Amino acid sequence: MKRLTVFAALALLSANLLAGNVITDSIDSKILGCEVKCNVYLPDGFDGSTKEYPVVYLLHGLSDTYEGWAGHGNMQTIADRLIASGEAAEMVIIMPNAGHPNPREVLNGYFNTPGRNYEDFFFQELMPQMEAKYRCIGDKKHRAIMGLSMGGGGSTVDCQHHPEMFSSCYAMSPWLDEKGEVGWNDKDDQLAVVCRSVHENSAIDFVANADESTVAALRTVKWTFDIGDDDWLLHLSVDMHYKMQEKGIAHEFRVRDGDHNWYYWPMVLHYALPWASVNFGK
Amino acid sequence: MKRLTVFAALALLSANLLAGNVITDSIDSKILGCEVKCNVYLPDGFDGSTKEYPVVYLLHGLSDTYEGWAGHGNMQTIADRLIASGEAAEMVIIMPNAGHPNPREVLNGYFNTPGRNYEDFFFQELMPQMEAKYRCIGDKKHRAIMGLSMGGGGSTVDCQHHPEMFSSCYAMSPWLDEKGEVGWNDKDDQLAVVCRSVHENSAIDFVANADESTVAALRTVKWTFDIGDDDWLLHLSVDMHYKMQEKGIAHEFRVRDGDHNWYYWPMVLHYALPWASVNFGK
Amino acid sequence: MKRLTVFAALALLSANLLAGNVITDSIDSKILGCEVKCNVYLPDGFDGSTKEYPVVYLLHGLSDTYEGWAGHGNMQTIADRLIASGEAAEMVIIMPNAGHPNPREVLNGYFNTPGRNYEDFFFQELMPQMEAKYRCIGDKKHRAIMGLSMGGGGSTVDCQHHPEMFSSCYAMSPWLDEKGEVGWNDKDDQLAVVCRSVHENSAIDFVANADESTVAALRTVKWTFDIGDDDWLLHLSVDMHYKMQEKGIAHEFRVRDGDHNWYYWPMVLHYALPWASVNFGK
Amino acid sequence: MKRLTVFAALALLSANLLAGNVITDSIDSKILGCEVKCNVYLPDGFDGSTKEYPVVYLLHGLSDTYEGWAGHGNMQTIADRLIASGEAAEMVIIMPNAGHPNPREVLNGYFNTPGRNYEDFFFQELMPQMEAKYRCIGDKKHRAIMGLSMGGGGSTVDCQHHPEMFSSCYAMSPWLDEKGEVGWNDKDDQLAVVCRSVHENSAIDFVANADESTVAALRTVKWTFDIGDDDWLLHLSVDMHYKMQEKGIAHEFRVRDGDHNWYYWPMVLHYALPWASVNFGK
């Protein structure tokens, strides 16, 4: 009977021998004045151990929620497989909510905007509470950040503001500035607030304007910018590459076959998790 | 407004510029005495043209149906992307039904079994009707076959019986014989019929017993056997590799990181479609 | 003894079962008034057959010669392996000389310059003579061109001038214009002649200035531009990508990890030969 | 002039911005009674720092010497590139001599044989002296071993004898036992000594015969066995995979396109160094 049971499961995603777990948690944020949901990937063996882990923050895009990566992005299967094969370190992956499917009515985004200081929440509430709760090692070396589109921009800016807190940043198809790409800056709804905040927090200008000590701090982080050749945000990553190069900040730049969609991001996650893992070991 | 529309679609799989189409068709089979469903992938530009195309037969596994590859297997996105980038040829992909989610009650399989001559149906009805209807070139050079698990075994055997009809065969995690792997041969239900037919049509024995002229014919096909290192059917592909090697039949053998599941097969489809495409050009 | 012989060869590059051959040939050019050397890769089985083959032109860079690809570039091992595994079509690969290790004293380049009409030689003498001699099929579908650096620019321009002759063009780290990249335009030696000719034959301007019928012709070719993220010519490929996009000419753009060197080009040849092969089959 | 200098170097392997260094050192071995040469890769920034590094032992094959990996294997370019891009950790790589181009006259090998206790030398002299001299961290976590052919077998056995000393072992095309593969066991020269020692130190039998506590120790190491589908030693890796699986020792098994040669090993080194690096971070 045992064989049959195994065989009958073939049409489904079979369980790996080493399988992590995605749980949904939430934080009652004083800064935001609301509850913020968060998916958390815990690696195989997390329960019933006292081991401490490296942590990756994995950020979603505009019009999306904390459920995107574990849903469309298939992140659990990818993380399970890479950890089981030794290509990625055992790690905790935190996927906080910063959005809503309807960005015109409900505010999105990773930056501080009037009445919604999300960046403050991220550093002052989310990170310390989550890292304590889920046994993260909690130093720069063992902490990485990555994300897609708006979350790629958010990852970059978080890391620019706190290079002392992350060993690496992997920006996928990142929205690094807003100068007409979405083209909603001058409207009068919540999406316009996001657009203006992305422009005000331009990751590209941040590098262009960085003084010597800021540049020195940015050099302590490993950076990758990765985007599809059919992505309409490609020029932003190109500009970022030029600016980083001018300032002498080492970084990786990749253009693969792809567009701004869920075909691209899971593929790239296969590169990003091992790369972040190597940096945990340095 | 245009930009916003584009942007609002980001959380979904965005449409590629070149997008094929998966349609569901069926054949009223005289040989099987029933209707057989079939998914067909038609490449971008198929409608409204008179162009003829190479064809790939893409077979599903046990406990699954013609819907598996287009559903779990995400084959449309993969084919669209590979064709758009020039890594795969424009092609028609035919995914016929040979199964049912409940294989103990409803008969599965690609071989002739008492009262259900599926192999006859495949060559005498499915292939000619589909290739005529969907403008396939229809020669050996422009026809490939591939499949997973039971469909990997089916592909191999179809190609062994008719090497004059296919330029290449790509067997993924193939069930090439049944000697206890499923362990259901001696039961008294429909699954036992399948198990016995897989053993009676052993692709491994076929090679072992091939005479000189059969070997010569098998050498006119390009073969790949591709399976995960955690797959419990791995030893069958190993045995096949040894037998093919003994007989001097050139073939590719790959063991990648993976198991017998839907994480493995879409990954492998990325290799199989370009490889079949190169063989169309020879 | 047999085993020992095999084993003793391990420290060397072992012979593949299917091994092509690189021969050195030359053409007595009336147009150039001199003999031009040329390496030619002939696939396994070429001798003693009457088969006709697809052809790839594989161009070297500045300061280099027809020997670069077969030497530093290791092209024979790569082609043998890809053809043996079915990832690339059996093909003839032609590597003509267009240079010299000392480009300041001896003229280099793929374009017509005063007293040295290399492009005329390429199309009027090299191509017809070589394709006749080495049994190339000789139609657009079965002819591709690719090259590195100056040869990447040369490939692109040859294909822009004669889109009716090539099914695909793969430009590696291409020198697509000269606006200070080498910075030698205003000197008074042979290298300055090359630099000026690269600028006068700007592949980027060619696209920018293309009228509707030229654009239609360019769309009949498959294009890839592939360059390393540390390559100082990266901006030229970026500009080309933008221009091709503006004109609606489908193409692939890749930025991988790498620099302008012999680490990058053999790696990229692994992608370029299969990609050209798929296009032979269309 | 600067540009020209850069450009003139294009036909050569250009220097990466981050470039390590391969130096040749030697040990005056009391155990072996002779001097043993050793190549050592030191990462960029090694000189003039006090930083301690992880260490990888990289072993050559039969008929080869300590120069193989840095010569045919191109290991410096590969390590430089992977470290610069963040795919591999900064590390020291030690390539000791265990052989000679003429293995019938001069003894080869990694095991203890009468009058030549190489394994004792390796653990008692080479490792402590090299790790002290080249500032290696020197714990299990930050030490890996890998090698090709005879060195793949040597890596595996070293790690089986001392699982408490290595976090990972990557065996490439490994010679894991000698049961007729070289077929020289019964001769009367130095090669026969090697052959017999490989059989007596069978890595496959070691696993088959391992008791519970040995199995527990072997589970503390990450293992990969990686071999080409045309390699005549493939069956040894297959047998090893089966034995490891029976004993429940997690490991990776890969079969790629390739043979037993220098086309395969540099390709595999691209996978092995990042993989070892991730394990340094665990």
Side-chain angles (χ1 to χ4, degrees), chain A residues 263, chain B residues 13 16 20-23 39-43 56-59 66-83 88 91-95 146 148 172 262 265-267 269-270 273:
Chain A
Y263 182 85
Chain B
L13 277 162
N16 290 314
N21 197 19
V22 172
I23 60 170
N39 271 341
V40 183
Y41 171 87
L42 301 173
V56 167
Y57 291 88
L58 181 58
L59 309 186
Y66 70 102
E67 293 180 302
W69 272 107
H72 287 301
N74 206 15
M75 66 75 57
Q76 183 178 348
T77 309
I78 295 168
D80 281 352
R81 172 55 61 184
L82 291 171
I83 293 171
M91 58 175 75
V92 168
I93 302 176
I94 295 178
M95 296 160 278
M146 54 184 69
L148 70 88
M172 308 167 182
W262 280 112
W265 302 315
M267 174 177 76
L269 191 63
H270 281 92
L273 293 180

Side-chain angles (χ1 to χ4, degrees), chain C residues 17-36:
Chain C
L17 294 183
L18 296 178
N21 199 18
V22 172
I23 60 171
T24 299
D25 197 352
S26 67
I27 287 186
D28 192 5
S29 169
K30 289 175 185 158
I31 291 171
L32 296 177
C34 65
E35 196 186 44
V36 180

Side-chain angles (χ1 to χ4, degrees), chain D residues 9-11 52 69 76 95 104 116-117 121 141 146 175 179 194 197 210 218 226 251 270:
Chain D
L10 294 190
E52 295 192 331
W69 272 108
Q76 182 178 348
M95 296 161 279
R104 292 180 61 183
R116 183 176 173 278
N117 290 323
F121 156 74
K141 184 173 164 179
M146 54 184 69
W175 192 21
K179 294 180 289 190
V194 180
S197 78
L218 296 178
D226 189 326
H251 63 285
H270 281 92

